[in-house]
């Protein structure tokens, strides 16, 4: 082994020459051997399940005769039938609309707060920044199930501090777990868990801005808030876009929070979100074929949104390496 | 001629402004502290609530503590012969072992993708990166049916194996390897006649170490957080991670309210190790998604 200092010597020349002499086979075999664990895992646990879902989504079971014996059940090609029934299922449509509404409530509030907190952390006029940063980021360490559980109890009228205070003031408190409000209850749980992570992402981007840019602005008489909105926000815009896209992807997959809250309220149906419906169809109704079609629809919807993400990422990220 | 006299007030103005800029702003600090309070409130609640018995839970004020913490702790520990601690151990296995192996696989792949030129590299990376976009929870159901065919459902493997591949980890590792491992060092290793895998283990891996901690933390939290996969894969509650276990306990609580205090005490005990881990490794959480950079 050699130290990094030796590495900068002109001895690179013979080594790259010897590399050129290496057989073509070796040049391909070595990287692929080293990539093998990732490729095998990817094929087994990502590619194969996706392929399997697609195959299932085009199949269905036709029951003939009395439908009692195994021989009476036949797997047949269903064409687009599963897709048509998935897309025309009012429960599915309702769950998609619900999740979109949930995202429309959650994402602007979460990213708005994350941006405000990050800018305040970065501002020279704020105090208690270290404590606030750790405290706001802390919920990210709490799994969604546990945070749903904590908030779920805090929502119960017998425990809720808000209800306690309102009752003390003789004001009748609304029950946040009732059907019309439960969407806010779940959005609050996701907000609690997510605002700190997004804040850290934005804050990291802010810290990367060279401070002489601000000095120039300050000499020109810009105030701290002008610097924040006119200089900092435009520079970190890509980070905001990324956090937005990741939030959209996460929103479409919401499952843990409503599933955990269900024992505490009657307001959440088993098809409250698209993924809850997929779970119910696959495991409670044993209809894996229509569950598969619904999964594909959700995945395609996610992909459509994520395509934008890939375009941004690939253009921005890999300028620094030798190609 | 006009510039010289004008410079003086400009410099003065800057001096006063920069002094003004450093004057603390009570509003800014108050907003941050309100945010901190909002984030700490449920944690504060779970600490006080776990000191209450079942009756006090719904009768005394939300944040007033009581004296039953030890009783609750004993009751939870005795619940079905220490099942709770089994769940904690399982979680440590799933998240700890899973994240460790996953980080190794990610770093190896990221290193190869950053430092080797070979045909098909672009395709391999693009396909792997597309995995970032595939929601893990959508994979859980077909993974269940595929693993069921080889009889691996309802085992530790069912939860461990699918989470070893982390496209996001590979993506981060590639960026980190490109930035932290100089090509010269790799070349020098080759000149010395070291094998490629040895170069990776002995030279590249230590250089990538700070970034690897971040990848580890990401995967650790991802596995710890993943509720749907173990929820689907496992039937035997001795294999449950803490999340699925507590969720099930809450479910039973709907009919047996005495279980509520167990759920709350369990929630407290389960987040303590995470919060400690989190505070200790705090400096590794520096994530720039847009630049894709991990700055440690």
């Amino acid at each position: 082994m050699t130290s990094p200092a030796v590495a900068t010597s002109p001895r690179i020349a013979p080594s790259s020459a010897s590399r050129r002499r290496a057989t073509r086979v070796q040049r391909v075999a070595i990287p692929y051997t080293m990539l093998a664990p990732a490729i095998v895992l990817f094929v087994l646990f990502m590619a194969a399940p996706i392929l399997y879902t697609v195959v299932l989504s085009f199949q269905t079971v036709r029951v003939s005769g009395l439908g009692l014996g195994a021989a009476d059940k036949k797997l047949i090609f269903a064409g687009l039938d599963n897709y048509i029934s998935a897309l025309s299922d009012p429960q599915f449509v309702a769950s998609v609309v619900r999740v979109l509404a949930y995202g429309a409530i959650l994402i602007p509030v979460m990213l708005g707060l994350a941006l405000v907190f990050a800018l305040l952390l970065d501002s020279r006029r704020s105090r208690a920044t270290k404590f606030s940063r750790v405290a706001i980021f802390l919920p990210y360490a709490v799994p969604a199930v546990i945070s749903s559980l904590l908030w779920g109890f805090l929502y119960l009228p017998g425990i809720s501090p808000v209800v306690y205070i309102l009752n003390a003031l003789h004001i009748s408190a609304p029950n946040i777990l009732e059907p019309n409000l439960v969407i806010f209850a779940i959005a609050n749980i996701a907000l609690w868990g997510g605002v700190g992570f997004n804040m850290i992402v934005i804050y990291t981007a802010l810290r990367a801005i060279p401070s002489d840019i601000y000095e120039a602005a300050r000499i020109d008489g810009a105030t701290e808030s002008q610097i924040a909105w006119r200089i900092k926000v435009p520079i970190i815009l890509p980070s905001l876009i990324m956090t937005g896209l990741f939030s959209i992807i996460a929103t479409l997959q919401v499952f843990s929070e409503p599933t955990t809250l269900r024992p505490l309220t009657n307001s959440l149906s088993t098809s409250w979100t698209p993924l809850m419906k997929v779970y119910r169809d696959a495991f409670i109704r044993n209809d894996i074929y229509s569950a598969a079609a619904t999964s594909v629809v959700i995945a395609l919807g996610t992909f459509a949104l994520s395509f934008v993400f890939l375009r941004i990422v690939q253009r921005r990220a890999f300028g620094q390496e030798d190609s | 001629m006009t510039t010289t006299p004008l410079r003086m007030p400009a410099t003065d103005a800057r001096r006063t402004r920069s002094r003004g800029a450093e004057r603390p702003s009570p509003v800014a600090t108050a907003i941050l502290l309100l945010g901190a309070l909002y984030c700490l409130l449920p944690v504060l609640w779970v600490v006080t609530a776990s000191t209450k018995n079942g009756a006090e839970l719904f009768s005394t004020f939300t944040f007033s503590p009581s004296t039953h913490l030890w009783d609750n702790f004993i009751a939870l520990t005795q619940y079905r012969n220490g099942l709770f601690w089994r769940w904690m151990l399982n979680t440590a296995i799933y998240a700890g072992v899973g994240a460790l192996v996953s980080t190794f696989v990610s770093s190896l792949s990221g290193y190869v993708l950053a430092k080797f030129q070979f045909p098909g590299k672009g395709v391999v990376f693009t396909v792997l990166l597309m995995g970032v976009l595939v929601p893990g929870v959508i994979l859980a159901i077909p993974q269940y049916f595929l693993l069921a065919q080889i009889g691996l459902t309802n085992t530790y493997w069912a939860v461990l194996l699918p989470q070893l591949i982390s496209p996001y980890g590979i993506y981060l590792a590639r960026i980190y390897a490109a930035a932290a491992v100089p090509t010269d060092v790799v070349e020098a290793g080759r000149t010395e006649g070291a094998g490629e895998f040895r170069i990776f283990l002995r030279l590249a891996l230590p250089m990538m170490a700070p970034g690897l901690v971040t990848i580890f933390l990401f995967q650790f939290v991802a596995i710890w957080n993943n509720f749907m996969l173990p929820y689907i894969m496992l039937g035997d509650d001795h294999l449950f991670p803490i999340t699925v276990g507590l969720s099930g306990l809450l479910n039973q609580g709907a009919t047996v309210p005495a279980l509520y205090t167990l759920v709350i005490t369990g929630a407290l005990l389960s987040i303590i190790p995470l919060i400690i881990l989190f505070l200790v490794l705090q400096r590794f959480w520096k994530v720039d998604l847009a630049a894709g950079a991990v700055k440690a």
Side-chain angles (χ1 to χ4, degrees):
Chain A
M1 281 314 118
T2 175
S3 74
V6 184
T8 47
S9 74
R11 279 200 293 159
I12 297 158
S15 91
S16 59
S18 72
R19 192 154 64 116
R20 236 173 278 126
R21 278 198 303 274
T23 61
R24 205 189 160 76
V25 180
Q26 240 182 337
R27 250 187 315 164
V28 178
I30 290 172
Y32 276 102
T33 311
M34 292 170 83
L35 282 174
I39 292 174
V40 169
L41 286 167
F42 183 87
V43 168
L44 287 180
F45 295 106
M46 299 196 92
I50 291 170
L51 200 69
Y52 187 57
T53 310
V54 172
V55 170
L56 285 174
S57 73
F58 288 107
Q59 292 178 329
T60 195
V61 169
R62 176 178 288 160
V63 183
S64 57
L66 290 169
L68 295 174
D72 289 343
K73 289 183 182 170
K74 223 174 101 191
L75 203 60
I76 60 159
F77 178 72
L80 290 172
D81 288 358
N82 292 329
Y83 287 93
I84 293 166
S85 60
L87 287 171
S88 58
D89 181 346
Q91 282 189 333
F92 178 69
V93 176
S95 72
V96 170
V97 170
R98 207 175 284 126
V99 156
L100 292 177
Y102 164 79
I105 296 166
L106 170 66
I107 296 173
V109 175
M110 181 168 74
L111 295 187
L113 280 177
L115 177 63
V116 167
F117 289 147
L119 286 171
L120 290 177
L121 286 180
D122 194 51
S123 163
R124 299 196 303 180
R125 300 190 57 186
S126 308
R127 293 295 175 265
T129 51
K130 191 162 193 291
F131 167 76
S132 306
R133 195 182 72 216
V134 174
I136 297 172
F137 190 36
L138 200 65
Y140 184 64
V142 181
V145 170
I146 308 287
S147 54
S148 308
L149 216 145
L150 301 184
W151 279 105
F153 279 108
L154 282 170
Y155 290 152
L156 293 177
I159 295 180
S160 166
V162 176
V163 172
Y164 185 91
I165 292 165
L166 289 178
N167 283 346
L169 299 170
H170 303 288
I171 301 168
S172 72
N175 179 5
I176 195 168
L177 291 175
E178 73 171 52
N180 292 328
L181 295 178
V182 75
I183 193 167
F184 293 99
I186 291 174
N188 177 57
I189 298 171
L191 171 70
W192 186 76
V195 70
F197 178 73
N198 289 299
M199 174 192 79
I200 291 293
V201 171
I202 298 168
Y203 180 67
T204 308
L206 283 173
R207 301 302 288 178
I209 305 174
S211 60
D212 26 326
I213 296 179
Y214 310 144
E215 283 306 317
R218 281 189 190 109
I219 291 168
D220 290 341
T223 64
E224 282 294 308
S225 56
Q226 280 174 327
I227 291 173
W229 296 111
R230 303 250 177 96
I231 301 176
K232 291 180 179 178
V233 173
I235 292 179
I236 57 144
L237 201 60
S239 289
L240 272 178
I241 296 170
M242 298 305 304
T243 51
L245 277 165
F246 273 113
S247 305
I248 292 168
I249 295 171
T251 299
L252 293 173
Q253 300 178 49
V254 58
F255 178 81
S256 313
E257 292 90 347
T259 305
T260 310
L261 277 189
R262 284 197 70 240
L264 297 174
T265 171
N266 295 322
S267 307
L268 296 164
S269 64
T270 50
S271 61
W272 202 79
T273 76
L275 274 180
M276 288 170 77
K277 183 184 182 303
V278 170
Y279 176 83
R280 184 199 64 185
D281 289 350
F283 291 102
I284 298 171
R285 299 196 170 167
N286 287 320
D287 183 2
I288 55 170
Y289 308 101
S290 92
T294 313
S295 299
V296 173
V297 171
I298 298 168
L300 288 178
T302 315
F303 257 108
L305 291 166
S306 312
F307 181 70
V308 187
F309 156 85
L310 257 187
R311 295 294 295 267
I312 300 169
V313 168
Q314 284 202 319
R315 215 169 345 147
R316 301 200 116 257
F318 299 110
Q320 73 231 53
E321 65 188 46
D322 30 314
S323 52
Chain B
M1 311 327 109
T2 43
T3 46
T4 319
L6 272 177
R7 270 187 68 189
M8 290 303 288
T11 328
D12 281 349
R14 183 188 64 170
R15 209 173 281 150
T16 49
R17 277 215 185 79
S18 63
R19 203 183 298 138
E22 279 164 9
R23 195 181 59 227
S25 158
V27 179
T29 310
I31 294 172
L32 281 177
L33 289 177
L34 272 177
L37 181 71
Y38 165 70
C39 289
L40 291 179
L41 215 59
V43 179
L44 190 69
W45 174 76
V46 76
V47 173
T48 55
S50 56
T51 64
K52 299 180 186 187
N53 64 25
E56 288 166 340
L57 189 61
F58 292 95
S59 58
T60 61
F61 176 63
T62 318
F63 294 104
S64 57
S66 183
T67 54
H68 300 281
L69 180 61
W70 184 248
D71 304 336
N72 289 338
F73 177 81
I74 296 293
L76 181 66
T77 300
Q78 286 172 347
Y79 174 71
R80 293 187 49 206
N81 297 320
L83 189 60
F84 172 79
W85 295 104
R86 180 78 195 253
W87 292 341
M88 292 283 271
L89 183 69
N90 290 341
T91 306
I93 292 171
Y94 292 133
V97 176
L100 209 61
V101 177
S102 173
T103 304
F104 185 77
V105 171
S106 295
S107 59
L108 181 59
S109 317
Y111 165 77
V112 171
L113 288 167
K115 291 293 162 191
F116 283 76
Q117 299 306 321
F118 55 93
K121 171 171 154 168
V123 177
V124 170
F125 183 62
T126 305
V127 171
L128 286 176
L129 193 58
M130 270 159 59
V132 174
L133 312 171
V134 181
V137 279
I138 284 178
L139 295 174
I141 291 170
Q143 279 166 351
Y144 172 83
F145 288 109
L146 287 176
L147 285 173
Q149 288 180 359
I150 50 172
L152 277 184
T153 50
N154 203 19
T155 65
Y156 280 107
W157 297 111
V159 178
L160 270 174
L161 289 176
Q163 303 191 95
L164 294 182
I165 180 79
S166 163
Y168 190 58
I170 294 173
Y171 164 74
L172 287 180
R174 175 176 177 175
I175 292 161
Y176 213 77
V181 184
T183 307
D184 296 351
V185 173
V186 180
E187 292 287 354
R190 285 178 187 143
T191 312
E192 304 274 318
E196 293 292 347
F197 191 68
R198 206 175 143 83
I199 293 174
F200 165 71
L201 272 186
R202 295 291 171 81
L203 291 178
L205 210 55
M207 290 174 172
M208 293 165 70
L212 296 185
V213 177
T214 306
I215 296 173
F216 175 84
L217 284 174
F218 258 113
Q219 194 61 11
F220 189 90
V221 171
I223 298 176
W224 185 287
N225 239 323
N226 192 341
F227 169 68
M228 198 182 189
L229 185 76
Y231 183 64
I232 288 175
M233 291 288 181
L234 304 174
D236 178 0
D237 58 10
H238 288 90
L239 300 179
F240 282 179
I242 194 79
T243 47
V244 180
L246 287 180
S247 162
L249 209 54
L250 180 69
N251 222 336
Q252 294 170 38
T255 47
V256 193
L259 291 176
Y260 280 159
T261 52
L262 296 190
V263 173
I264 290 165
T265 313
L268 173 69
L269 293 176
S270 72
I271 60 175
I272 288 173
L274 256 195
I275 287 177
I276 291 172
L277 183 77
F278 197 76
L279 293 178
V280 170
L281 295 176
Q282 216 216 109
R283 67 192 182 91
F284 290 99
W285 288 109
K286 290 179 184 167
V287 200
D288 185 348
L289 291 177
V294 184
K295 301 185 181 76

